[in-house]
Structures are given as C-alpha cells and as structure tokens.
Amino acid sequence: MEIKERASYLEFKELFSPMGCFTLQQVASGARLSVSRNTIGRWVKEHKLIRLKQNVYTFPEYLRSGDAQLYFANKMYQPSYISIHSALAFWGMIPEAVVQVTSVSSRKTAYFTNEFGQFTYHTIRSSSFFGYTIESSAFHPSWGVHIAYPEKAILDLLYLYPQYHTIEDMLGLRLDLDILKIDRLTNYTEQYGVESLKRRVEKLREAYRL
C-alpha cells in the first residue's frame, strides 16, 4: 500500500494551483501528498486558501484574475453554464455592469457568496440545457468556461423572466444584437419547445426588427 507524504503548503499549491479550484474529494483521492481537513481549515484561516462553498476551495492569487469567477461558477455547481445577464455582458450585448454571476442549471436553484462575489443558479428543464460553448479563460488558457451562446442567453432570460412580454419591455432591455445569429435564435427557440417563450421571442424580433 502506497503511503502518502504529508504535504507542505508550497508542495500542495504546486500540485493543485493549476486546477484553479479543487474539492476535498480530489485532495483525498487524487493527491500523492497527505493533507487533512484540519490542515485545509487552518490554511483558510491563514488566508492561504479561499473557501468557495462547502468542500470547494481555491487560492487567493486568483482574486486578481478577472474571469476566474466565471470558471469557478461552472465548478461550484454542476452541471451549469454562465447565462442570462452575465453571458449577455460577456458578449457585450447589454450596457449595464453585472454584479452577480448568473448561471443556469438543470438542478434546483442555488445561491452562493464568497470572496469572488455572488453566484446565482437558475433552474431550467433538462431538455433546455443546451446552447453553450466553451471559451478559454483570458488569464488561464487551459481553463474552459462554459457559457451560453448569445442567442441562448436571450432565450434563458426570456424564459426565466416572463415579465418581459411586450415590445416596450424588449426595448427596455437595451440589447445590442449586432452579433445575434437569427438562424440560431430560431432553431434554439424551437428546441426550447415552450409556446409562451415563442411568443416573447416574436415580440423581441418585432421590437428590434429582426
């Protein structure tokens, strides 16, 4: 039976830092070095680690990485992808700055707060969990961020916020639709398969003359 060496913080950081964030299960099963839960807790108190949520941790250095929170949003609650306001802001389609990181998931609604910000996960049907791509992190190219295509971000928004249903409501969103692909919007709307959503999309197209 292999006996793991007890790790120093620097050894531990060298092994786990490239992952961006990690779980206690990964520490227990995947490391060649032994690190106890008590040690992890002590490193958090010493500000050598940051707790993202229960059993998920990262390193303070990533507070300086502008898109780390998007990558962590994917990892904190799976399956999920960045969508709605955060995705629209990412693609430059809304003028407002976004405070929370908004995602969708086929799991129940969830909410987390940590040093990286606020993270909200909205529930959609499993059959509607599609229409996202993987974008490389600008700071860490090996990290892939799951984020909705612009068309899917709009559909998720209109599905989850049914109060947007008139032409005036659609114009109030102040969407910049220069990069919107009409064929993809049409196909995704059919794939969503929600009649009320189809009607709201028609109002969107009427409002922006698409």
Side-chain angles (χ1 to χ4, degrees), residues 94-158:
I94 55 176
E96 297 85 2
V98 176
V99 177
Q100 293 189 40
V101 180
T102 52
S103 303
V104 298
S105 174
S106 55
R107 298 172 62 187
K108 67 180 182 180
T109 298
Y111 179 84
F112 305 104
T113 301
N114 54 49
E115 290 186 47
F116 287 84
Q118 300 172 333
F119 300 80
T120 300
Y121 301 82
H122 299 269
T123 302
I124 60 174
R125 304 176 305 173
S126 296
S127 60
S128 300
F129 194 87
F130 66 88
Y132 58 91
T133 184
I134 302 176
E135 292 287 314
S136 295
S137 163
F139 292 80
H140 304 278
S142 63
W143 296 0
V145 177
H146 294 69
I147 189 165
Y149 283 109
E151 301 78 13
K152 186 56 161 51
I154 289 174
L155 292 177
D156 288 340
L157 172 67
L158 296 181

XYZ file of all heavy atoms in Angstrom, residues 94-158:
521
model
N -25.319 44.005 -23.450
C -26.063 44.899 -22.571
C -25.104 45.958 -22.034
O -23.911 45.692 -21.852
C -26.744 44.152 -21.391
C -25.719 43.334 -20.590
C -27.859 43.266 -21.906
C -26.320 42.665 -19.361
N -25.604 47.163 -21.777
C -24.719 48.250 -21.349
C -24.377 48.217 -19.862
O -23.386 48.806 -19.441
C -25.528 49.504 -21.685
C -26.964 49.066 -21.595
C -26.986 47.636 -22.068
N -25.199 47.525 -19.063
C -25.011 47.582 -17.616
C -23.892 46.643 -17.154
O -23.667 45.574 -17.733
C -26.304 47.190 -16.880
C -27.473 48.114 -17.128
C -28.244 47.759 -18.378
O -27.877 46.758 -19.036
O -29.185 48.483 -18.732
N -23.208 47.072 -16.098
C -22.270 46.173 -15.428
C -23.069 45.146 -14.626
O -24.141 45.449 -14.102
C -21.350 46.956 -14.495
N -22.559 43.938 -14.553
C -23.249 42.852 -13.862
C -22.516 42.547 -12.562
O -21.305 42.314 -12.560
C -23.320 41.590 -14.747
C -23.940 40.437 -13.990
C -24.122 41.881 -16.011
N -23.249 42.581 -11.464
C -22.648 42.337 -10.155
C -22.587 40.840 -9.862
O -21.537 40.291 -9.529
C -23.431 43.068 -9.045
C -22.837 42.756 -7.685
C -23.430 44.568 -9.291
N -23.713 40.156 -9.985
C -23.755 38.725 -9.731
C -23.297 37.941 -10.958
O -23.398 38.415 -12.083
C -25.175 38.281 -9.390
C -25.721 38.794 -8.081
C -27.041 38.124 -7.745
O -27.231 36.927 -7.958
N -27.974 38.898 -7.222
N -22.797 36.741 -10.715
C -22.555 35.794 -11.802
C -23.798 34.926 -11.912
O -24.152 34.208 -10.982
C -21.319 34.916 -11.527
C -21.107 33.936 -12.680
C -20.082 35.781 -11.334
N -24.481 35.030 -13.051
C -25.732 34.298 -13.243
C -25.509 33.107 -14.154
O -24.926 33.238 -15.235
C -26.822 35.204 -13.842
O -26.308 35.845 -15.017
C -27.252 36.259 -12.840
N -25.989 31.960 -13.707
C -25.866 30.720 -14.457
C -27.207 30.027 -14.502
O -28.137 30.389 -13.766
C -24.839 29.791 -13.787
O -23.569 30.393 -13.660
N -27.316 29.024 -15.359
C -28.485 28.145 -15.356
C -28.015 26.726 -15.128
O -26.885 26.361 -15.448
C -29.309 28.246 -16.660
C -29.849 29.642 -16.856
C -28.485 27.814 -17.862
N -28.911 25.923 -14.574
C -28.584 24.539 -14.246
C -29.852 23.710 -14.346
O -30.965 24.230 -14.201
C -28.008 24.450 -12.824
O -27.810 23.098 -12.431
N -29.676 22.424 -14.587
C -30.814 21.506 -14.555
C -31.124 21.058 -13.133
O -32.091 20.328 -12.906
C -30.527 20.290 -15.440
O -29.314 19.667 -15.059
N -30.309 21.495 -12.186
C -30.553 21.200 -10.772
C -31.397 22.323 -10.159
O -31.763 23.279 -10.829
C -29.225 21.049 -10.029
C -28.370 19.901 -10.522
C -26.992 19.920 -9.894
N -27.054 19.765 -8.434
C -25.984 19.892 -7.643
N -24.793 20.200 -8.147
N -26.117 19.733 -6.340
N -31.681 22.198 -8.873
C -32.515 23.192 -8.203
C -31.781 24.522 -8.093
O -30.538 24.587 -8.151
C -32.929 22.698 -6.822
C -31.789 22.564 -5.820
C -32.301 22.056 -4.478
C -31.166 21.960 -3.460
N -31.652 21.474 -2.139
N -32.553 25.588 -7.919
C -31.999 26.930 -7.762
C -31.028 26.971 -6.588
O -31.277 26.368 -5.539
C -33.130 27.948 -7.544
O -33.972 27.945 -8.706
C -32.587 29.345 -7.312
N -29.908 27.669 -6.774
C -28.895 27.748 -5.718
C -28.271 29.139 -5.712
O -28.324 29.868 -6.710
C -27.826 26.678 -5.922
N -27.671 29.475 -4.574
C -27.061 30.788 -4.403
C -25.864 30.655 -3.474
O -25.956 30.014 -2.420
C -28.076 31.766 -3.820
C -27.544 33.155 -3.567
C -27.509 34.103 -4.592
C -27.073 33.534 -2.319
C -27.026 35.378 -4.379
C -26.584 34.808 -2.084
C -26.565 35.729 -3.123
O -26.072 36.988 -2.905
N -24.720 31.244 -3.873
C -23.508 31.203 -3.057
C -22.869 32.584 -3.032
O -22.941 33.331 -4.010
C -22.493 30.193 -3.614
C -23.023 28.806 -3.795
C -23.334 28.327 -5.052
C -23.227 27.977 -2.700
C -23.831 27.049 -5.236
C -23.728 26.688 -2.874
C -24.034 26.228 -4.136
N -22.233 32.895 -1.922
C -21.453 34.122 -1.793
C -20.086 33.780 -1.233
O -19.969 32.998 -0.286
C -22.149 35.130 -0.860
O -23.442 35.443 -1.376
C -21.343 36.410 -0.753
N -19.048 34.337 -1.829
C -17.694 34.146 -1.317
C -16.864 35.375 -1.696
O -17.416 36.379 -2.171
C -17.069 32.848 -1.846
C -17.100 32.767 -3.364
O -16.714 33.709 -4.062
N -17.575 31.637 -3.884
N -15.572 35.311 -1.519
C -14.725 36.474 -1.778
C -14.702 36.881 -3.252
O -14.316 38.010 -3.593
C -13.297 36.205 -1.292
C -13.161 36.148 0.223
C -11.721 36.018 0.674
O -10.867 36.773 0.151
O -11.439 35.155 1.533
N -15.117 35.996 -4.136
C -15.136 36.302 -5.561
C -16.442 36.954 -5.995
O -16.547 37.430 -7.122
C -14.876 35.034 -6.382
C -13.445 34.571 -6.323
C -13.003 33.781 -5.269
C -12.540 34.942 -7.298
C -11.683 33.364 -5.202
C -11.217 34.533 -7.238
C -10.785 33.749 -6.181
N -17.439 36.951 -5.119
C -18.698 37.605 -5.453
C -19.913 36.762 -5.144
O -19.861 35.828 -4.331
N -21.004 37.092 -5.822
C -22.283 36.406 -5.639
C -22.565 35.545 -6.869
O -22.365 35.983 -8.005
C -23.402 37.425 -5.444
C -23.200 38.322 -4.231
C -24.226 39.440 -4.163
O -24.758 39.866 -5.187
N -24.505 39.918 -2.964
N -23.057 34.347 -6.624
C -23.294 33.380 -7.691
C -24.726 32.863 -7.576
O -25.110 32.324 -6.537
C -22.318 32.206 -7.592
C -20.865 32.602 -7.704
C -20.184 33.126 -6.614
C -20.183 32.448 -8.914
C -18.847 33.490 -6.716
C -18.849 32.822 -9.018
C -18.179 33.334 -7.922
N -25.495 33.027 -8.645
C -26.882 32.575 -8.667
C -27.067 31.566 -9.794
O -26.580 31.768 -10.914
C -27.843 33.747 -8.877
O -27.683 34.687 -7.806
C -29.295 33.277 -8.900
N -27.786 30.478 -9.477
C -28.051 29.419 -10.452
C -29.566 29.246 -10.571
O -30.238 28.911 -9.603
C -27.410 28.103 -10.006
C -25.909 28.195 -9.836
C -25.353 28.717 -8.659
C -25.047 27.787 -10.844
C -23.988 28.826 -8.505
C -23.669 27.893 -10.696
C -23.144 28.406 -9.528
O -21.781 28.524 -9.364
N -30.077 29.501 -11.775
C -31.499 29.373 -12.047
C -31.785 28.009 -12.674
O -30.981 27.498 -13.457
C -31.966 30.473 -12.996
C -31.775 31.856 -12.467
N -32.743 32.520 -11.742
C -30.727 32.704 -12.544
C -32.310 33.717 -11.407
N -31.081 33.862 -11.887
N -32.926 27.463 -12.353
C -33.291 26.141 -12.856
C -33.984 26.221 -14.209
O -34.908 27.016 -14.391
C -34.232 25.433 -11.862
O -33.578 25.331 -10.593
C -34.591 24.036 -12.352
N -33.517 25.404 -15.137
C -34.226 25.191 -16.392
C -34.430 23.686 -16.570
O -33.796 22.877 -15.897
C -33.468 25.772 -17.608
C -32.090 25.128 -17.752
C -33.354 27.282 -17.507
C -31.357 25.545 -19.023
N -35.311 23.321 -17.466
C -35.564 21.906 -17.715
C -34.322 21.236 -18.302
O -33.537 21.872 -19.015
C -36.730 21.740 -18.688
C -38.026 22.411 -18.247
C -39.093 22.281 -19.310
N -38.628 22.795 -20.617
C -39.311 22.680 -21.735
N -40.506 22.079 -21.740
N -38.841 23.167 -22.875
N -34.177 19.957 -18.011
C -33.030 19.217 -18.560
C -33.011 19.279 -20.077
O -31.943 19.366 -20.703
C -33.075 17.757 -18.094
O -32.935 17.675 -16.692
N -34.194 19.257 -20.701
C -34.272 19.307 -22.159
C -33.850 20.657 -22.718
O -33.579 20.783 -23.925
C -35.699 18.982 -22.619
O -36.627 19.919 -22.077
N -33.805 21.666 -21.866
C -33.395 23.014 -22.302
C -31.936 23.310 -21.972
O -31.463 24.425 -22.189
C -34.293 24.071 -21.644
O -35.640 23.884 -22.003
N -31.247 22.308 -21.447
C -29.847 22.506 -21.073
C -28.968 22.258 -22.303
O -28.411 21.174 -22.507
C -29.475 21.561 -19.927
C -28.175 21.901 -19.247
C -28.144 22.807 -18.207
C -26.977 21.318 -19.651
C -26.954 23.124 -17.569
C -25.780 21.625 -19.027
C -25.773 22.533 -17.984
N -28.853 23.274 -23.129
C -28.073 23.190 -24.369
C -27.711 24.611 -24.768
O -28.052 25.581 -24.093
C -28.889 22.512 -25.483
C -30.093 23.308 -25.931
C -29.981 24.258 -26.947
C -31.333 23.131 -25.325
C -31.080 25.011 -27.342
C -32.438 23.881 -25.730
C -32.303 24.821 -26.743
N -27.017 24.745 -25.885
C -26.769 26.073 -26.435
C -25.657 26.846 -25.762
O -25.712 28.067 -25.679
N -24.624 26.153 -25.312
C -23.489 26.851 -24.704
C -22.199 26.413 -25.382
O -22.122 25.364 -26.037
C -23.417 26.596 -23.193
C -23.307 25.147 -22.797
C -22.065 24.533 -22.631
C -24.446 24.378 -22.587
C -21.962 23.196 -22.265
C -24.360 23.042 -22.218
C -23.115 22.459 -22.061
O -23.022 21.137 -21.709
N -21.193 27.220 -25.233
C -19.889 26.947 -25.817
C -18.839 26.965 -24.706
O -19.162 27.265 -23.546
C -19.545 27.994 -26.898
O -18.302 27.647 -27.524
C -19.439 29.403 -26.297
N -17.622 26.645 -25.030
C -16.527 26.677 -24.062
C -15.520 27.721 -24.514
O -14.900 27.579 -25.572
C -15.852 25.298 -23.919
C -16.878 24.247 -23.492
C -14.715 25.366 -22.903
C -16.319 22.833 -23.416
N -15.387 28.771 -23.722
C -14.454 29.852 -24.001
C -13.231 29.727 -23.097
O -13.363 29.474 -21.900
C -15.129 31.209 -23.768
C -16.232 31.544 -24.754
C -15.691 31.904 -26.114
O -14.726 32.691 -26.186
O -16.242 31.395 -27.111
N -12.048 29.906 -23.662
C -10.829 29.847 -22.864
C -10.706 31.081 -21.985
O -11.014 32.192 -22.421
C -9.593 29.743 -23.765
O -9.593 28.526 -24.478
N -10.264 30.875 -20.755
C -10.008 31.992 -19.855
C -8.925 32.887 -20.432
O -7.911 32.411 -20.962
C -9.583 31.456 -18.483
O -8.964 32.461 -17.707
N -9.122 34.200 -20.323
C -8.126 35.148 -20.817
C -6.849 35.099 -19.984
O -5.763 35.405 -20.483
C -8.701 36.558 -20.808
N -6.979 34.710 -18.722
C -5.829 34.689 -17.818
C -5.192 33.306 -17.736
O -3.990 33.185 -17.502
C -6.257 35.138 -16.413
C -6.654 36.581 -16.329
C -7.911 36.996 -16.729
C -5.762 37.536 -15.877
C -8.281 38.331 -16.654
C -6.112 38.873 -15.803
C -7.378 39.280 -16.201
N -5.995 32.264 -17.935
C -5.504 30.890 -17.818
C -6.087 30.080 -18.979
O -7.160 29.488 -18.858
C -5.922 30.291 -16.475
C -5.471 31.100 -15.294
N -4.204 31.022 -14.764
C -6.117 32.049 -14.571
C -4.089 31.863 -13.752
N -5.227 32.499 -13.614
N -5.408 30.063 -20.124
C -5.959 29.449 -21.336
C -6.355 27.986 -21.185
O -7.177 27.495 -21.965
C -4.803 29.606 -22.337
C -4.035 30.793 -21.847
C -4.119 30.727 -20.354
N -5.814 27.290 -20.206
C -6.182 25.885 -20.029
C -7.533 25.721 -19.342
O -8.085 24.617 -19.310
C -5.104 25.152 -19.215
O -5.005 25.695 -17.904
N -8.068 26.817 -18.806
C -9.388 26.763 -18.167
C -10.459 27.022 -19.217
O -10.400 28.017 -19.945
C -9.515 27.830 -17.079
C -8.603 27.681 -15.913
C -7.674 26.708 -15.701
C -8.518 28.565 -14.791
N -7.009 26.928 -14.516
C -7.519 28.059 -13.941
C -9.189 29.719 -14.436
C -7.173 28.685 -12.746
C -8.858 30.359 -13.243
C -7.855 29.833 -12.413
N -11.436 26.165 -19.283
C -12.545 26.355 -20.197
C -13.795 26.804 -19.460
O -14.217 26.156 -18.498
N -14.382 27.912 -19.893
C -15.577 28.461 -19.261
C -16.791 28.092 -20.108
O -16.871 28.442 -21.286
C -15.490 29.997 -19.120
C -16.774 30.552 -18.526
C -14.286 30.383 -18.257
N -17.743 27.376 -19.512
C -18.985 27.028 -20.190
C -19.939 28.224 -20.128
O -20.340 28.634 -19.038
C -19.642 25.812 -19.527
C -18.855 24.548 -19.677
N -17.652 24.343 -19.038
C -19.090 23.418 -20.393
C -17.179 23.147 -19.355
N -18.033 22.572 -20.189
N -20.252 28.778 -21.290
C -21.060 29.997 -21.339
C -22.046 29.921 -22.501
O -21.728 29.385 -23.566
C -20.147 31.241 -21.458
C -20.943 32.531 -21.298
C -19.344 31.239 -22.747
C -20.072 33.746 -21.035
N -23.248 30.434 -22.272
C -24.298 30.375 -23.287
C -23.902 31.186 -24.519
O -23.284 32.243 -24.415
C -25.605 30.916 -22.722
N -24.279 30.658 -25.693
C -24.219 31.480 -26.889
C -25.136 32.689 -26.684
O -26.089 32.632 -25.908
C -24.675 30.686 -28.108
C -23.650 29.715 -28.656
C -23.825 28.343 -28.520
C -22.524 30.178 -29.339
C -22.899 27.446 -29.029
C -21.590 29.299 -29.854
C -21.786 27.930 -29.701
O -20.857 27.052 -30.207
N -24.878 33.785 -27.389
C -25.735 34.973 -27.219
C -27.225 34.676 -27.377
O -28.055 35.167 -26.597
C -25.230 35.917 -28.314
C -23.808 35.523 -28.532
C -23.773 34.033 -28.334
N -27.559 33.870 -28.383
C -28.958 33.545 -28.643
C -29.577 32.760 -27.495
O -30.725 32.997 -27.116
C -29.069 32.746 -29.952
C -28.539 33.471 -31.168
C -27.021 33.470 -31.289
O -26.358 32.696 -30.561
O -26.494 34.242 -32.117
N -28.822 31.843 -26.914
C -29.353 31.040 -25.815
C -29.459 31.869 -24.543
O -30.388 31.682 -23.739
C -28.469 29.816 -25.564
C -29.025 28.832 -24.532
C -30.425 28.358 -24.895
C -30.822 27.088 -24.183
N -30.669 27.050 -22.762
N -28.533 32.795 -24.336
C -28.610 33.674 -23.164
C -29.891 34.497 -23.201
O -30.547 34.696 -22.176
C -27.379 34.580 -23.098
N -30.261 34.979 -24.389
C -31.504 35.735 -24.532
C -32.712 34.848 -24.248
O -33.645 35.245 -23.533
C -31.598 36.350 -25.940
C -30.588 37.497 -26.070
C -33.011 36.862 -26.220
C -30.503 38.073 -27.457
N -32.706 33.641 -24.785
C -33.828 32.728 -24.554
C -33.954 32.356 -23.084
O -35.068 32.312 -22.534
C -33.666 31.471 -25.404
C -33.804 31.664 -26.912
C -33.553 30.349 -27.631
C -35.170 32.212 -27.267
N -32.828 32.100 -22.429
C -32.873 31.790 -20.996
C -33.443 32.972 -20.215
O -34.224 32.797 -19.272
C -31.470 31.437 -20.482
C -30.983 30.077 -20.959
O -31.821 29.244 -21.363
O -29.755 29.856 -20.928
N -33.049 34.178 -20.619
C -33.558 35.378 -19.953
C -35.069 35.485 -20.111
O -35.801 35.696 -19.133
C -32.877 36.619 -20.530
C -33.426 37.968 -20.074
C -33.147 38.191 -18.591
C -32.835 39.114 -20.892
N -35.558 35.337 -21.343
C -36.987 35.490 -21.591
C -37.799 34.351 -20.974
O -38.950 34.547 -20.577
C -37.247 35.553 -23.101
C -36.641 36.751 -23.831
C -37.003 36.709 -25.305
C -37.096 38.065 -23.201
